[in-house]
Amino acid sequence: MKRIFLTLSLIIAIAAAGCASPAATHDPVTETKVQGDTVTVATANLASPMKVTVIQPSRALEADNSEKFPTVYLLNGYGGSYKTWPALQDLDSLANVYGMIFVCPDGRDSWYWDSPIDKEMQMESFFVNDLVPYIDANYPTIASPDKRAITGLSMGGHGALYLAMRHPDLFKNAGSTSGGVDIRPFPNNWKMKLRLGEYESNKDVWDSHTVATIAKDITDGQLNIIFDCGAQDFFAKVNNNLHNDLLARGISHDYISRPGIHNGAYWSNSILYQLLYFNRKFQGK
């Protein structure tokens, strides 16, 4: 297991330190930048079809190109959408630099669970049964778990680790930036009780729907894991706890703690480190 510290070889300036309130964990991002395709994926697992942004390397669009590419699923946070990540980073350029396909679904404030009380919010089933099969059928992906990665910010960071830990047959590579990796300290925030029920009367349900608990079921080498959190972020403690728990269990992972708060400046920087990591894993390094 490794703990990464900032070095001159890794790109971009650090987001400014500060403090933020858990009430502001929506994506503070202006979602105006348009990149890639916007597609609509049919599903019986949600109340309505899902809009998804898909960004391919430019060479994937050439008529005579038969190359296939690894895929990175980028999950938005609470209050965000399929437009969040394209507004945070120039994914068009990054797709060309790394030869990756980026998939940005719409999290719909779901925390990426199958809700046990809302039958029209079965987001985990949507990913497994609808989204991944749709992307592999319609885009030039390498349809193999070791060539798929999933990561996200805040709610999406929790969702990425949650989905990968529960479905290593789909995702070999997983990340999180500023993720709410233990939901239990925040029982009244971000609509979670609308999906899981009140915490006090449904503790077993909350336990089974949080990364901090299900991480205890994974084995070393099952996943390639990278996650990070700003030192001034209100999720810093739960991320440090997850790091220490994985260390104690001998689970290999990369963990980064750097100055920063819960905002777009931090996420637009941190995703670059994660893409470097995923690129190396896609190459078998």
Side-chain angles (χ1 to χ4, degrees):
M1 65 225 76
K2 299 175 279 187
R3 182 181 178 94
I4 299 181
F5 295 92
L6 292 176
T7 66
L8 291 177
S9 62
L10 291 176
I11 358 169
I12 250 170
I14 299 171
C19 60
S21 162
T25 57
H26 61 285
D27 295 341
V29 176
T30 302
E31 298 179 342
T32 57
K33 192 172 183 179
V34 178
Q35 301 181 60
D37 303 326
T38 299
V39 300
T40 301
V41 180
T43 179
N45 290 298
L46 304 172
S48 61
M50 166 81 73
K51 285 189 175 180
V52 180
T53 300
V54 183
I55 297 168
Q56 305 178 72
S58 57
R59 63 184 185 272
L61 304 176
E62 297 171 0
D64 58 348
N65 186 56
S66 60
E67 186 178 0
K68 293 186 180 294
F69 304 91
T71 311
V72 178
Y73 288 74
L74 297 172
L75 310 189
N76 63 269
Y78 181 83
S81 76
Y82 62 97
K83 298 178 182 179
T84 296
W85 277 108
L88 280 168
Q89 261 298 348
D90 185 355
L91 297 182
D92 282 331
S93 294
L94 291 169
N96 287 326
V97 168
Y98 288 116
M100 297 174 179
I101 295 173
F102 295 114
V103 179
C104 307
D106 191 335
R108 299 188 182 184
D109 298 343
S110 66
W111 284 81
Y112 302 93
W113 308 306
D114 278 355
S115 168
I117 60 177
D118 183 354
K119 298 307 179 185
E120 292 190 330
M121 188 58 78
Q122 306 296 298
M123 190 63 77
E124 180 181 359
S125 292
F126 168 75
F127 268 78
V128 173
N129 299 322
D130 302 319
L131 181 58
V132 173
Y134 176 91
I135 295 299
D136 286 343
N138 290 277
Y139 291 91
T141 66
I142 304 172
S144 172
D146 62 329
K147 302 299 183 183
R148 284 194 204 100
I150 186 168
T151 189
L153 64 90
S154 193
M155 176 188 80
H158 174 277
L161 292 178
Y162 178 83
L163 290 170
M165 288 176 180
R166 287 175 55 83
H167 301 281
D169 56 320
L170 287 180
F171 301 104
K172 172 70 173 177
N173 309 284
S176 169
T177 180
S178 305
V181 295
D182 190 346
I183 61 173
R184 295 167 298 181
F186 310 95
N188 296 311
N189 294 86
W190 317 305
K191 296 182 182 177
M192 291 190 290
K193 60 186 176 183
L194 298 181
R195 312 297 184 204
L196 300 180
E198 295 283 349
Y199 175 69
E200 287 300 324
S201 54
N202 294 277
K203 289 184 178 179
D204 289 347
V205 174
W206 283 66
D207 286 346
S208 65
H209 285 75
T210 190
V211 167
T213 298
I214 65 172
K216 300 183 188 308
D217 295 327
I218 66 172
T219 58
D220 187 38
Q222 185 175 15
L223 297 173
N224 300 317
I225 299 172
I226 181 171
F227 64 107
D228 63 76
C229 194
Q232 291 76 35
D233 195 305
F234 46 80
F235 283 145
K237 182 177 180 180
V238 295
N239 278 271
N240 287 333
N241 288 345
L242 178 62
H243 166 59
N244 288 327
D245 288 345
L246 293 176
L247 279 178
R249 294 186 53 235
I251 304 298
S252 301
H253 64 285
D254 281 15
Y255 177 60
I256 307 165
S257 176
R258 64 169 74 88
I261 62 173
H262 205 83
N263 64 6
Y266 181 88
W267 303 322
S268 65
N269 176 43
S270 64
I271 193 61
L272 298 174
Y273 294 78
Q274 296 202 10
L275 293 180
L276 286 170
Y277 176 89
F278 293 145
N279 186 53
R280 288 181 59 83
K281 296 306 179 183
F282 290 154
Q283 295 175 26
K285 297 180 180 178

